[in-house]
Amino acid sequence: MNPSQSKTALVVGAGIAGASVCYALSKQNIKTILLESESSAAEKASGNPIGVVYPFLTKHKTLESEFSLLAYQYFLKLWESLDLGKRVPHVDGIHFLLDSPSAYDRYSHSLRSHHIPESLVCLSKEPNSNLDALLFPKGKALSPVSLTKELIRIANPMEQYQTKLLSWEVNEENGNIICHTEKEILSVDYLFLTQGYQFLMDPKLQWIPMKQVRGQIVRIPSSNFQNQYSILYGDYLTAEVGGERVLGASFDEFHLEEKPRPKETFDLWNGLHSKLPNLLKNWNEIDIQNFGTRVSYRTQSQDRHPVVGKLPNLSLLDTSIKYQNLFRKNAKTFEIPYYETVGILNGLGSRGLTHALLAAEILVCDLLSQTLEISDTIKKALKPDRFLLRKWKRDELT
């Protein structure tokens, strides 16, 4: 019998991150419990009606762009192998506008520096504006709710909704994780923390510099526009999915009220009009106040990169000057203790749909001590302990 079949994992958070972890665990035949404080899956950021899937690229290779491209390819691979296209409403095709000389220079160089085949992305013309663009023919506008719920259906965890994780600790006798929820006490072999900005409620996570970011989108009836592909231009207008398009998204890390802001709707609409005037002939005849809006919140790390890996155990971290100087004297990086069976996947920001599946695979393989064909340099750049190392280098730990 596979030893993993007798193991149990608790995944906290039923958004796209938690659903992706559940799927990665299902491939390992690990019994999984999915815990969510809301009444169903995908009610927070993953509850937006339409999201877009495409990779983040830079002019020259960076760890961030390499990971994003690998994650995009991994997403497309699973999309095909799991036959998700039959069950997740979507439209293929994204035009990313290159509306300035600097943008054209950056992204035309990115195709060469990253050695991207034309089947994934190529230079094109966006037909409504006739502007240069990157065309992602397999990029997708899709329903995040449907994708999240489909991954959960495939993974088939034991689902528990409307209950929160209150606290957790390691049982020193057997190494199990004791998890106190609002309804019961669970003893599990692995704990995966994917609960978005609710990480602030966990004192063992508060040292990680992440914050809540507010976004507002506009829901537009499909009849108003005719664009076949989604168009990205700083903001974005999606293709039609489920009878509507989405115009988005605002970004605010300081003022986080839940009520929609009419000014943001006007700003998004005017920005679209300015960038793509040929999309409509009768801009002034449309009363945008009749459009629906949605406010949701993402979690963003200090460096805007995902946070993926084993969770450092700060209670065992020796921050004394004497201990730290031992490493500096020998030009070595100090040793970080970990919770060996507790992992975190958070800080996905606005790219959760693209990045979550590969990030979850990296995390699960890390906790199970399995090898994964992805460079150690990329994995290291995602680990939560990078923030501790930065503090150590700045003498902020002692």
Side-chain angles (χ1 to χ4, degrees), residues 54-184:
Y54 71 102
F56 171 80
L57 298 176
T58 51
K59 182 174 180 178
H60 302 290
K61 272 190 178 183
T62 62
L63 292 174
E64 183 179 14
S65 64
E66 284 191 85
F67 167 72
S68 190
L69 183 58
L70 287 172
Y72 178 62
Q73 292 171 300
Y74 187 76
F75 176 96
L76 295 179
K77 177 182 176 182
L78 287 185
W79 181 270
E80 294 297 327
S81 64
L82 298 177
D83 209 11
L84 292 171
K86 290 184 178 179
R87 294 178 295 278
V88 178
H90 71 284
V91 173
D92 285 349
I94 292 176
H95 275 117
F96 188 108
L97 295 188
L98 308 179
D99 53 0
S100 69
S102 61
Y104 187 90
D105 176 66
R106 169 182 171 177
Y107 290 105
S108 61
H109 275 84
S110 73
L111 302 184
R112 295 191 292 272
S113 64
H114 291 74
H115 306 290
I116 306 175
E118 287 194 357
S119 59
L120 286 184
V121 58
C122 60
L123 290 170
S124 180
K125 290 283 186 181
E126 196 285 311
N128 297 282
S129 63
N130 202 36
L131 291 172
D132 291 316
L134 288 185
L135 171 60
F136 298 93
K138 298 179 181 179
K140 302 186 190 307
L142 56 77
S143 164
V145 176
S146 296
L147 176 61
T148 300
K149 291 184 175 181
E150 182 60 20
L151 289 172
I152 292 172
R153 186 195 69 79
I154 294 170
N156 194 30
M158 182 185 302
E159 300 171 68
Q160 294 188 13
Y161 294 102
Q162 293 185 304
T163 185
K164 293 181 180 179
L165 176 66
L166 301 177
S167 64
W168 58 272
E169 65 270 348
V170 178
N171 184 327
E172 300 298 337
E173 294 183 3
N174 58 17
N176 284 0
I177 313 298
I178 308 302
C179 300
H180 301 260
T181 78
E182 291 179 322
K183 296 181 178 179
E184 61 184 323

Side-chain angles (χ1 to χ4, degrees), residues 134-255:
L134 288 185
L135 171 60
F136 298 93
K138 298 179 181 179
K140 302 186 190 307
L142 56 77
S143 164
V145 176
S146 296
L147 176 61
T148 300
K149 291 184 175 181
E150 182 60 20
L151 289 172
I152 292 172
R153 186 195 69 79
I154 294 170
N156 194 30
M158 182 185 302
E159 300 171 68
Q160 294 188 13
Y161 294 102
Q162 293 185 304
T163 185
K164 293 181 180 179
L165 176 66
L166 301 177
S167 64
W168 58 272
E169 65 270 348
V170 178
N171 184 327
E172 300 298 337
E173 294 183 3
N174 58 17
N176 284 0
I177 313 298
I178 308 302
C179 300
H180 301 260
T181 78
E182 291 179 322
K183 296 181 178 179
E184 61 184 323
I185 298 175
L186 300 170
S187 177
V188 297
D189 299 283
Y190 302 101
L191 174 62
F192 294 88
L193 302 165
T194 74
Q195 67 270 53
Y197 58 84
Q198 295 178 50
F199 79 93
L200 290 168
M201 300 170 63
D202 190 333
K204 297 184 182 71
L205 304 181
Q206 289 176 354
W207 60 271
I208 304 176
M210 292 191 292
K211 56 189 172 184
Q212 186 178 354
V213 175
R214 179 188 186 277
Q216 181 171 312
I217 61 169
V218 184
R219 308 176 72 153
I220 301 176
S222 61
S223 58
N224 285 276
F225 296 108
Q226 302 301 318
N227 55 301
Q228 179 183 355
Y229 289 170
S230 300
I231 308 170
L232 281 63
Y233 54 94
D235 296 325
Y236 59 85
L237 178 68
T238 72
E240 175 193 348
V241 178
E244 66 181 345
R245 303 171 196 272
V246 162
L247 173 62
S250 64
F251 176 93
D252 194 333
E253 54 188 308
F254 301 109
H255 304 97

